[in-house]
Each structure stands twice: as structure tokens, then as C-alpha cells.
Amino acid sequence: MLLRLQSSIRPAERQAVDALASSLGYGLERLGGRDDLVLLTPLDSVGVTPGERAGDAARFADLTGVAAILDRGVSRELWQRGPDRADTVVRAAGAAFGGGYVSIIAGPCAVEDEERLLGVARQVEARGATLLRGGAFKPRTSPYSFQGLGQAGLEMLSRVRDATSLGVVTEVLDPRDVEAVAAVADVVQVGARSMAAYALLKELGQIDKPVLLKRGFGATVSEFLGAAEYLLAGGNERVILCERGIRSFDNVTRNVLDVGAIAHLRRATHLPVIADPSPAAGRSDLVRALARAGIMAGADGLMIEVHPAPAEVHSDGQQAIGLDEFDAIVRDTDALARMDGRSLCGLTRDVDRGAAALHPR
Ligand code: PEP
Ligand code: MN
């Protein structure tokens, strides 16, 4: 890695660069008599794999007196899109996210009743969803609110999964439940409230299942990517980022769907990015419009809360949409994805021909 130091760098700041280099195991060379260019070479004698480790460049960049890292491409964080890096495509059951593939995850907010879960699953499956969502462990603002059915909910999801072609996306809240959730889930969800639960992220870095990481509602994009880095650094390369709305000053919507962040992330990272318009809107009448906005900003998929009887559910009923609205969202997504030369995975009805068509994966 090549550093350019500021011409105004003070001796103590220069010493801090030297000290960090030596503590991280880098040899340091001032180039060609120029004091401002410093070449750092990883040394293998310190017991680490030769080669720069992810995150090292950022530590040097943070030091006062360092003007720039001139060859960041050599040492980038794992989420970064390099010039040589193709999109990561994350596949699960019949879904694929990224690299031109768009998929839809749909279902109730929480698993509440098995018969109803199976009913919703069959309905969204017939309309083009490839993954079923539903929380067995629910993060609730009040400890007295419905917390989810836990293990019984996981078992319901597992049976519904077996009865349909859908894979399952469900949330894990506690590192102690990772094994049980990963045994049932095709994709393990980290909710917005757990985005910075680093002990949980470290556990999920070790599992052999894709992870859907939601952005915290108060998290910057850089903090969001830092959380993704925990998963990647742990060895789990199947990470799907999910923008679900951030908190702002207006309460006309529950959150603000940050479409700028979606567009930015599609450029900045090779990881797939999806939009979850349900908690962003917080009201069912705006979900379709936000879903369209998410896809047009470049999202590689959608997560949508769907329920045929929203008045009867324990959590997030006001943002759940009905089946007709879901149908419209699938048709929108199919059309918008095609506009960009992308394709929607799963069975979608071809509205023009009125026939079912299986889109390519
Ligand atoms: C959910 O998916 O039901 C959920 C709790 O979402 P979020 O973590 O985005 O609030
Ligand atoms: Mn919800």
C-alpha cells in the first residue's frame, strides 16, 4: 500500500504512521528520497498471511497527516466493488439477487398461524414470490408486545416450506438461536434493530446460509457496510443488503426509503441490494409506489409484507398489503426489471398473454 503524507505532517504524526505500520506488521520505506510517499509492505514474519488485510488501509487513512492511500485497490474492504469484481449473485431456493437477477420475498410480518401462513405462502408463490418471509422471533419496541412464536414458529415455517416451492427468510435476534434459525431458513434475516449487534454478525459470518442484512434506521451507509464487512470477514460471502427506510423528522411515512443509498450501494459494492418498502412506508397505500422507486433506483429485489386480513395480525398490520396489490407489485417489478435488461426470478403471470411464464434464472 502506498501512502501520501501531507506536507504539513508533524513529527509526532509521522511517528504515529510508523508505529501503526509496525504494530500491523508492515515494513515501511520512504520512496525515492521523497518524504511524502511511503510504501508499506506486509511482512510475513509476524504470523499473519502475507498480504494486506481488509481494513488496514482504512486505519492508515484515519491517521492525521495521511493525505491519501494511492493504491486503495490493492487493499480494499471486502464489500467494495473493485474494477475486476463482478456482481455477487446470491441464490436461495428459486431466488437470485444481483448480477441482473431480481427476486421477490413476500409474506406476513410475523408467523402467527400455520394455516394462514400456508394460505399466504401459496398465494404469493402463485403470483411470483420465490421466498416466503415471516418472523418467528420478533424485535418489538415494547417487551410486552407479541414477541413471535419462537421455535414453534420456525417449525411452521419449515412445514410450509416443504409444502411449497418457496424458500424461507426469517429473522434471528439472539446469537444463541443462530443454529436453530439457520436449520430452517434459506436466508437468515438480521433486522434493522440488530444491524450493529456485532456478536450476532460474527456468528452469522460462520454459517453456510445467505444473510439478509437490514440497514439500521439510524445507521449511515458506511456503518451499514461496516456491519456487512463483519459477515464477509467471518467468511460468509452470501450477503444481501436491505434498505428498509431510515428515521427522519416527518411522520407522514414511518421511515424514509433512502433510494439514494440504494443507487449508491449498487455502485459502491458488488453485493446485491434489495428494498423493503413496507417499514419505509408504514402504510399499505404507499408500498407499491416505494417498491417501484426501489427497483428503479437499482434494487436487486424486494421484501414485501403481505397479509389477506391485516386487521387481525399482531404486528405491522397497517403496512401489510393485500394480494391484488401484491400482484400489481410483481407485474411492476417484472416490467421495470426488463426495462433495465434484468429479469425477475420465479413464476410470474405474463399480463399481455394472460399465461404463466417462467422467467429465466
Ligand atoms: C421485519 O422484517 O418484520 C422487521 C422487523 O423489519 P425491520 O428490522 O426492518 O424493522
Ligand atoms: Mn414487520
Side-chain angles (χ1 to χ4, degrees), residues 102 104-106 127-128 275 277-278 284-292 295 301-306 319-337 344 348:
V102 175
I104 298 182
I105 307 164
R127 286 167 172 78
S278 305
S284 56
D285 61 330
L286 299 184
V287 170
R288 182 178 175 191
L290 296 191
R292 293 168 71 124
I295 294 292
L302 295 171
M303 171 176 261
I304 310 275
E305 293 188 5
V306 178
Q319 68 197 33
I321 57 162
L323 293 162
D324 290 346
E325 194 74 349
F326 179 65
D327 207 24
I329 288 176
V330 175
R331 282 187 276 114
D332 290 346
T333 306
D334 187 25
L336 297 174
L344 176 65
T348 60

Side-chain angles (χ1 to χ4, degrees), residues 307-325:
H307 203 282
E312 294 168 28
V313 304
H314 289 303
S315 72
D316 287 348
Q318 68 291 350
Q319 68 197 33
I321 57 162
L323 293 162
D324 290 346
E325 194 74 349

Side-chain angles (χ1 to χ4, degrees), residues 135-196:
F137 295 99
K138 294 305 301 175
R140 304 306 300 278
T141 305
S142 164
Y144 309 115
S145 301
F146 173 65
Q147 301 286 304
L149 299 179
Q151 184 60 35
L154 291 180
E155 285 160 21
M156 291 179 192
L157 283 166
S158 174
R159 287 190 289 271
V160 169
R161 177 174 175 271
D162 290 346
T164 63
S165 68
L166 299 171
V168 158
V169 183
T170 195
E171 178 163 355
V172 66
L173 282 170
D174 189 321
R176 292 168 297 187
D177 295 324
V178 165
E179 205 178 323
V181 172
V184 167
D186 294 278
V187 178
V188 176
Q189 177 175 327
V190 176
R193 290 156 191 81
S194 308
M195 186 208 83

Side-chain angles (χ1 to χ4, degrees), residues 1-9 17 31 34-40 56-73 75:
M1 154 179 22
L2 193 59
L3 305 188
R4 166 162 286 147
L5 304 178
Q6 287 169 353
S7 54
S8 57
I9 189 167
V17 174
L31 285 189
R34 289 186 60 175
D35 256 350
D36 62 339
L37 286 185
V38 174
L39 180 66
L40 297 170
D56 285 357
R59 293 187 63 180
F60 284 101
D62 279 345
L63 293 178
T64 320
V66 173
I69 311 281
L70 295 181
D71 57 347
R72 281 193 67 89
S75 168

Side-chain angles (χ1 to χ4, degrees), residues 61-340:
D62 279 345
L63 293 178
T64 320
V66 173
I69 311 281
L70 295 181
D71 57 347
R72 281 193 67 89
V74 177
S75 168
R76 62 176 80 98
E77 299 214 14
L78 298 168
W79 55 260
Q80 277 185 291
R81 179 191 284 291
D84 48 344
R85 179 74 204 233
D87 282 0
T88 291
V89 181
V90 177
R91 295 174 190 274
F97 301 90
Y101 297 112
V102 175
S103 298
I104 298 182
I105 307 164
C109 177
V111 176
E112 297 188 13
D113 169 271
E114 184 163 347
E115 206 176 310
R116 194 152 250 176
L117 181 68
L118 180 60
V120 178
R122 290 210 161 112
Q123 299 277 15
V124 297
E125 176 187 31
R127 286 167 172 78
T130 40
L131 293 169
L132 173 69
R133 60 149 292 138
F137 295 99
K138 294 305 301 175
R140 304 306 300 278
T141 305
S142 164
Y144 309 115
S145 301
F146 173 65
Q147 301 286 304
L149 299 179
Q151 184 60 35
L154 291 180
E155 285 160 21
M156 291 179 192
L157 283 166
S158 174
R159 287 190 289 271
V160 169
R161 177 174 175 271
D162 290 346
T164 63
S165 68
L166 299 171
V168 158
V169 183
T170 195
E171 178 163 355
V172 66
L173 282 170
D174 189 321
R176 292 168 297 187
D177 295 324
V178 165
E179 205 178 323
V181 172
V184 167
D186 294 278
V187 178
V188 176
Q189 177 175 327
V190 176
R193 290 156 191 81
S194 308
M195 186 208 83
Y198 299 118
L200 179 63
L201 298 175
K202 283 182 184 171
E203 284 291 316
L204 295 172
Q206 309 287 321
I207 66 169
D208 190 22
K209 286 284 166 80
V211 175
L212 188 156
L213 177 66
K214 290 199 169 198
R215 178 182 178 188
F217 40 71
T220 63
V221 168
S222 152
E223 289 162 343
F224 186 24
L225 288 167
E229 190 73 10
Y230 269 84
L231 299 166
L232 298 168
N236 193 340
E237 292 172 354
R238 292 186 288 167
V239 176
I240 303 163
L241 301 173
C242 178
E243 163 58 36
R244 47 76 75 204
I246 51 175
R247 191 167 273 179
S248 187
F249 52 85
D250 198 340
N251 61 5
V252 71
T253 54
R254 184 177 177 191
N255 290 286
V256 174
L257 184 71
D258 189 352
V259 286
I262 295 173
H264 167 77
L265 286 166
R266 290 279 281 111
R267 285 169 174 256
T269 175
H270 54 86
L271 296 171
V273 183
I274 70 165
D276 182 349
S278 305
R283 39 187 274 205
S284 56
D285 61 330
L286 299 184
V287 170
R288 182 178 175 191
L290 296 191
R292 293 168 71 124
I295 294 292
M296 286 321 285
D300 300 297
L302 295 171
M303 171 176 261
I304 310 275
E305 293 188 5
V306 178
H307 203 282
E312 294 168 28
V313 304
H314 289 303
S315 72
D316 287 348
Q318 68 291 350
Q319 68 197 33
I321 57 162
L323 293 162
D324 290 346
E325 194 74 349
F326 179 65
D327 207 24
I329 288 176
V330 175
R331 282 187 276 114
D332 290 346
T333 306
D334 187 25
L336 297 174
R338 283 167 194 252
M339 246 174 70
D340 288 345

